[in-house]
Amino acid sequence: FDERVLEEALDQRHPLLERLKFLSIFSSNLDEFFMIRMSGLYWQQQTGSVEAPPDGHTPEEQLRAIQQALAPLLARQMACWQDDLLPKLREAGIQVQPLSDIPPEATAQLRDYFKAAILPALTPLAFDAAHPFPHISNLCMNLAIVLHNGDRHERFARLKVPRLFPRLLRVPHEPPSDSRHDGRPARFVWIEDVISANLDLLFPGCAITTAYPFRVTRDADPDIEEDEAADLLQAIQESLRQRHFGSAVRLEVSAMMPEQIREILAKNLHLRPDQIDRVDGPLGMADLIELTKLDRPDLKDPPLSHKVPPLLAQQDLFTVLQERDLLLYHPYDAFLPVVDLLRHAAADPQVLAIKITLYRVGLDSPIVQALMQARQNGKEVTALVELRARFDEENNIQWSK
């Protein structure tokens, strides 16, 4: 499935930012695959599972097969970014650059922004014989920093890059508008590059040798036996808290990271060499989705025109449904008739009850608003909320409450 997503990113027929979106989705899908599927295989391997699956392959055989299939996909992904999308984005007026390519004036302004906004949110943690290895949050960008504190001994620190800020920072003071790019040139730098360049403000009096980005993926598959959980909602809430502390299943590091630091991280995270990916490019490429927010309709698909069935444009919704069934095909057909159905039902005096299943619900859902209005109007309203919608559990718990 994810290979098909990558093929969409490679497809030259798509607009540029749509291809970038697919490249981002490929990465986020892969993160979920490691958090759920790969973590399950590693758990089976560690616990010595002897029950063979239907295809007869052991966990070790499955892991080897996955790694062999994954390596060429990751190589294609990086080649797509570096050799194809990055140059084409540059031609279109969207540049993702190393900090060293940024003019001095803009670099100084980025340093001012770092001091004012980013620096207060940073908390470096040393790890050595006197300091325990810090917890590394799931899917967070981190820096492994090597420094000297007035002596000849190397010291190590880990710095978490806060999620409060965009991963791609806009470079201030853009050059004059270029009509070829619709007057909207945009230049970006990775936030970890800005932090690395300003570590002297975080470690005054220390000599910073270097800093290397790394990223950890953890087991995020809640182990819940529904039949044994006295309160499923409470059990899932507890599993969500544990999700941040699941065992590490993957370590992504910069290809420039020395073997010594890589081994220190792997040892403390209890990872084997085959669970470490050396990346010759940016880590966590799911964050490229940020660039799709740019106001560049010339680089995106035209908005999908949703259709309303002709019958509903001519007659009342309940009148149509009394005469015949109506099947809607989303996203080609508009979703509005579904919302209208619930709104009409909430207000119609002949409606006694509404029963509905909610799997994933938006933050400001008109469906929920209509159900609440129905309840206020004295209808019987029953909503079955799926608590275990993958990675939407927390949102659904709030809605169920």
Side-chain angles (χ1 to χ4, degrees):
F1 170 78
D2 215 16
E3 184 176 9
R4 278 288 298 113
V5 176
L6 181 59
E7 287 172 1
E8 294 299 313
L10 297 167
D11 191 336
Q12 303 280 347
R13 295 172 298 179
H14 292 311
L16 200 54
L17 288 181
E18 301 296 339
R19 295 180 61 198
L20 188 75
K21 178 184 70 178
F22 281 116
L23 200 70
S24 167
I25 294 171
F26 171 82
S27 290
S28 60
N29 284 351
L30 205 57
D31 287 338
E32 292 188 9
F33 184 77
F34 269 85
M35 287 190 286
I36 304 301
R37 306 301 174 197
M38 292 291 275
S39 66
L41 288 172
Y42 285 126
W43 182 84
Q44 291 176 36
Q45 187 183 48
Q46 291 165 6
T47 56
S49 176
V50 294
E51 183 177 349
D55 64 3
H57 291 155
T58 66
E60 290 80 5
E61 291 171 337
Q62 293 180 66
L63 287 168
R64 279 197 300 272
I66 290 169
Q67 294 291 357
Q68 289 172 3
L70 183 59
L73 293 183
L74 292 174
R76 289 169 67 190
Q77 178 200 29
M78 194 56 67
C80 177
W81 167 245
Q82 293 183 335
D83 303 332
D84 187 2
L85 292 181
L86 203 55
K88 286 184 170 68
L89 285 167
R90 189 181 305 116
E91 292 173 7
I94 302 171
Q95 301 179 30
V96 180
Q97 298 177 292
L99 195 61
S100 56
D101 292 351
I102 303 302
E105 181 182 354
T107 303
Q109 288 188 308
L110 284 170
R111 184 174 175 87
D112 290 340
Y113 174 73
F114 173 84
K115 286 192 285 188
I118 301 176
L119 181 61
L122 300 180
T123 306
L125 295 173
F127 54 94
D128 52 34
H131 301 88
F133 188 76
H135 174 72
I136 310 297
S137 300
N138 187 33
L139 302 183
C140 279
M141 188 60 57
N142 300 269
L143 291 173
I145 303 165
V146 183
L147 50 86
H148 297 266
N149 187 19
D151 53 32
R152 296 183 179 179
H153 297 290
E154 279 189 339
R155 300 178 185 274
F156 300 96
R158 169 264 187 172
L159 183 64
K160 177 181 176 180
V161 178
R163 288 174 167 164
L164 303 170
F165 309 100
R167 177 82 188 284
L168 288 161
L169 298 179
R170 188 88 178 242
V171 176
H173 279 311
E174 297 293 346
S177 295
D178 185 338
S179 59
R180 292 175 302 165
H181 305 142
D182 195 29
R184 291 181 178 275
R187 300 165 70 195
F188 297 87
V189 291
W190 298 99
I191 188 173
E192 60 266 27
D193 290 350
V194 174
I195 294 174
S196 296
N198 293 283
L199 287 175
D200 59 300
L201 298 174
L202 196 62
F203 298 95
C206 296
I208 311 297
T209 303
T210 189
Y212 302 99
F214 70 95
R215 186 171 180 263
V216 172
T217 308
R218 293 186 175 275
D219 179 355
D221 194 15
D223 184 19
I224 299 172
E225 295 293 339
E226 293 186 31
D227 294 339
E228 299 176 8
D231 186 334
L232 183 60
L233 187 144
Q234 185 176 351
I236 292 179
Q237 284 180 309
E238 179 59 31
S239 75
L240 291 177
R241 284 190 285 268
Q242 294 301 319
R243 178 173 282 175
H244 302 290
F245 302 99
S247 58
V249 295
R250 186 189 191 201
L251 172 63
E252 297 169 273
V253 302
S254 165
M256 304 297 292
M257 180 182 284
E259 184 178 0
Q260 177 193 9
I261 301 177
R262 200 166 63 243
E263 288 179 350
I264 291 174
L265 293 174
K267 178 182 177 182
N268 284 279
L269 292 166
H270 309 292
L271 293 174
R272 303 189 308 266
D274 64 309
Q275 293 177 277
I276 302 173
D277 288 336
R278 298 177 63 191
V279 182
D280 189 14
L283 308 182
M285 293 180 70
D287 293 329
L288 288 172
I289 197 74
E290 294 175 6
L291 292 178
T292 64
K293 298 176 184 177
L294 289 170
D295 185 18
R296 292 295 301 269
D298 56 313
L299 302 180
K300 301 178 183 180
D301 284 328
L304 185 63
S305 178
H306 303 292
K307 297 179 180 179
V308 175
L311 280 173
L312 297 184
Q314 302 168 6
Q315 301 182 57
D316 174 72
L317 181 61
F318 279 143
T319 302
V320 172
L321 294 180
Q322 283 175 345
E323 296 174 354
R324 55 175 293 176
D325 289 343
L326 193 63
L327 181 63
L328 303 178
Y329 294 87
H330 304 305
Y332 308 103
D333 287 332
F335 193 71
L336 185 61
V338 179
V339 179
D340 286 342
L341 173 65
L342 289 170
R343 286 174 174 164
H344 290 175
D348 193 312
Q350 296 187 65
V351 171
L352 303 181
I354 299 175
K355 301 179 183 182
I356 191 168
T357 299
L358 302 175
Y359 185 66
R360 297 187 191 272
V361 185
L363 294 177
D364 188 21
S365 170
I367 293 289
V368 174
Q369 292 173 6
L371 295 175
M372 293 172 67
Q373 186 61 51
R375 186 67 194 93
Q376 291 168 6
N377 292 342
K379 319 288 186 193
E380 290 291 333
V381 178
T382 303
L384 175 63
V385 181
E386 173 56 79
L387 295 183
R388 299 191 65 177
R390 183 80 72 193
F391 298 111
D392 236 2
E393 299 97 336
E394 194 166 1
N395 184 45
N396 281 8
I397 285 173
Q398 295 301 319
W399 277 122
S400 69
K401 289 182 176 181

